[in-house]
Amino acid sequence: MSSPRDSILVTGGAGFIGSNFILCWIEATGAPVINLDLLTYAGNPANLSSLDGDARYQLVRGDICDPELVGSLLREHQPRAIVHFAAESHVDRSIASPEAFIRTNVQGTFVLLEQARTYWSQLDQAGQSAFRFLHVSTDEVYGSLGKDDPAFSETTAYAPNSPYAASKAASDHLARAYFHTWGFPVLTTNCSNNYGPFQFPEKLIPLMILNALEGKPLPVYGDGKNVRDWLFVEDHCSAIRAVLERGRVGETYNIGGNSERANIDVVTSICDLVDELRPQSGTPPRSNLITYVADRPGHDRRYAIDASKIARELEWKPAQQFESGLRRTVRWYLDHAAWIDSVRTGAYREWIAKNYTERS
Ligand code: NAD
Ligand code: TYD
């Protein structure tokens, strides 16, 4: 087979991070993207409606667990890289029903790696050395930190605590093995909690924005003092581009936002922003809606990222401060009522009822 073309194959590109990535990628590079996405509850083709009619973008609805489909897409489009986002991504759902996480995150990543390796092995030498498989993973594979522990680095031992984290850890190990065994050019990124436009409102930040707007209770798990590092989604997208362009194959890169915050502080900041941007005279501040509910089983206490390797080797650092990123995010949700209506389907309402009725 000849050298690959200029296009890339993105998996899970109709989800939150994948759709932001495709929009940023086409704007930054102008190069074509094929998006393989099953369109589960988390996938929304409307996130990419600004690319309707753009010849550089093509959506293929399909499953990464389907080897014939993946193999034929690779042969047809001959991409120069795969950026693999597709996953089941919500910890609470992995506790309620773990099976889909094993299927998509473990089996699906295996199918992709295997089909990609076959495709890569048939490229000419220049094509092989240019090809990249970028596996997008999470800091949750490292487990939970104590208050004063050093942040996760690329050499921190894996200690996944939820079925979601365990399934992502398994996929990271498969990616590692494909490099080690066959020299297949894998890059792995482990990032912290993303936030920004197009995030499905089952995750903390968009859920709290919408509930605050609608005057509903704001359900904080446990004592609210669990800490996450927050990464603005566009910063994550620029980091992935840097890793794809300049990362050393076989390496892993941690990506963080330098923004550790306790959940209760995040929720309070959201309340203050909604009060400011949508004032309601005569009603109490939105922070009065905060309601402590039953904790998540096995709830990791703290995540923190040491992003010094990507800063040193690839000269990447986040551009967005948490406060300005959160303001942009709240504004985006306030300005996109139609998008919100379109994602809050019957299945979404069932999930919200199930998760929060059991906790209250
Ligand atoms: P998401 O849940 O918003 O989107 C996942 C996408 O994958 C959806 O479009 C869905 O339709 C698609 N998908 C699911 N199963 C599929 C299958 N079998 N075949 C093809 N497509 C399938 O997820 P996200 O928040 O955008 O996360 C993207 C990636 O980043 C995931 O791998 C996740 O583990 C990782 N990650 C996310 C975060 C975060 O804060 N959101 C943090 C660290 C790492
Ligand atoms: P989440 O957005 O689900 O991301 P992750 O579990 O992958 O970090 O949750 C972020 C934090 O917010 C986590 O500590 C759990 C907490 N949380 C709540 O307190 N209430 C909620 O309704 C949700 C969804 C999360």
Side-chain angles (χ1 to χ4, degrees):
M1 209 185 268
S2 59
S3 281
R5 300 182 188 147
D6 200 24
S7 57
I8 62 167
L9 175 69
V10 170
T11 72
F16 162 48
I17 305 174
S19 52
N20 277 285
F21 176 79
I22 292 173
L23 293 171
C24 293
W25 175 265
I26 290 185
E27 192 178 311
T29 70
V33 175
I34 300 99
N35 174 16
L36 172 60
D37 195 301
L38 188 56
L39 302 183
T40 68
Y41 79 91
N44 183 359
N47 296 358
L48 294 147
S49 57
S50 59
L51 294 172
D52 282 352
D54 190 321
R56 296 169 299 181
Y57 173 66
Q58 183 184 340
L59 171 66
V60 177
R61 183 173 192 176
D63 193 340
I64 58 165
C65 297
D66 178 345
E68 282 75 34
L69 173 65
V70 173
S72 75
L73 281 177
L74 291 171
R75 286 190 297 276
E76 181 189 344
H77 294 283
Q78 299 185 27
R80 70 175 176 88
I82 297 175
V83 185
H84 174 34
F85 295 99
E88 290 292 334
S89 67
H90 189 33
V91 172
D92 292 320
R93 286 185 191 256
S94 84
I95 294 167
S97 331
E99 196 170 336
F101 289 72
I102 305 309
R103 183 180 179 278
T104 289
N105 301 1
V106 185
Q107 177 71 13
T109 301
F110 164 69
V111 168
L112 264 186
L113 283 165
E114 194 54 10
Q115 292 301 316
R117 181 173 72 87
T118 304
Y119 162 71
W120 169 78
S121 68
Q122 292 165 2
L123 295 174
D124 62 22
Q125 210 176 5
Q128 285 196 2
S129 49
F131 186 79
R132 298 287 182 270
F133 183 106
L134 195 147
H135 173 59
V136 178
S137 190
T138 167
D139 58 0
E140 304 195 24
V141 298
Y142 299 120
S144 183
L145 293 169
K147 189 163 66 69
D148 299 319
D149 288 340
F152 302 130
S153 77
E154 289 78 1
T155 55
T156 302
Y158 273 36
N161 287 323
S162 68
Y164 164 66
S167 68
K168 292 297 291 188
S171 66
D172 292 10
H173 291 325
L174 282 169
R176 175 191 157 87
Y178 271 65
F179 172 72
H180 188 82
T181 306
W182 292 289
F184 179 65
V186 171
L187 298 151
T188 298
T189 55
N190 296 85
C191 70
S192 53
N193 286 53
N194 284 221
Y195 68 104
F198 299 117
Q199 187 166 31
F200 193 71
E202 63 184 357
K203 304 276 170 66
L204 179 76
I205 288 183
L207 181 96
M208 295 295 171
I209 296 172
L210 299 193
N211 283 15
L213 258 178
E214 292 166 3
K216 293 181 183 161
L218 306 176
V220 173
Y221 297 169
D223 64 4
K225 294 192 178 138
N226 302 66
V227 171
R228 299 292 183 263
D229 173 62
W230 292 98
L231 172 65
F232 191 63
V233 65
E234 287 176 14
D235 280 333
H236 185 196
C237 296
S238 73
I240 291 175
R241 287 202 305 277
V243 173
L244 212 46
E245 280 157 22
R246 307 191 290 282
R248 289 182 291 135
V249 293
E251 292 291 317
T252 67
Y253 294 91
N254 283 359
I255 307 169
N258 289 330
S259 296
E260 277 188 63
R261 297 286 185 281
N263 292 339
I264 188 64
D265 296 332
V266 172
V267 176
T268 306
S269 301
I270 291 170
C271 290
D272 294 346
L273 281 165
V274 176
D275 284 345
E276 179 196 323
L277 298 169
R278 280 286 159 86
Q280 278 181 324
S281 59
T283 53
R286 262 79 169 203
S287 54
N288 281 24
L289 298 167
I290 292 174
T291 310
Y292 289 91
V293 299
D295 208 353
R296 173 185 282 173
H299 195 177
D300 284 339
R301 193 66 175 165
R302 175 176 164 239
Y303 303 143
I305 285 267
D306 171 354
S308 56
K309 177 175 173 182
I310 189 170
R312 193 176 57 247
E313 291 192 9
L314 308 183
E315 294 177 351
W316 175 89
K317 62 176 169 48
Q320 197 68 239
Q321 304 288 320
F322 183 65
E323 283 62 34
S324 52
L326 192 62
R327 180 174 284 274
R328 275 181 67 181
T329 305
V330 171
R331 272 190 200 284
W332 189 88
Y333 281 88
L334 296 184
D335 292 345
H336 288 82
W339 183 90
I340 293 162
D341 281 348
S342 74
V343 299
R344 292 203 293 192
T345 59
Y348 171 76
R349 287 172 209 280
E350 270 169 42
W351 164 255
I352 295 295
K354 176 178 161 44
N355 191 38
Y356 295 99
T357 309
E358 282 170 10
R359 285 177 195 282
S360 58

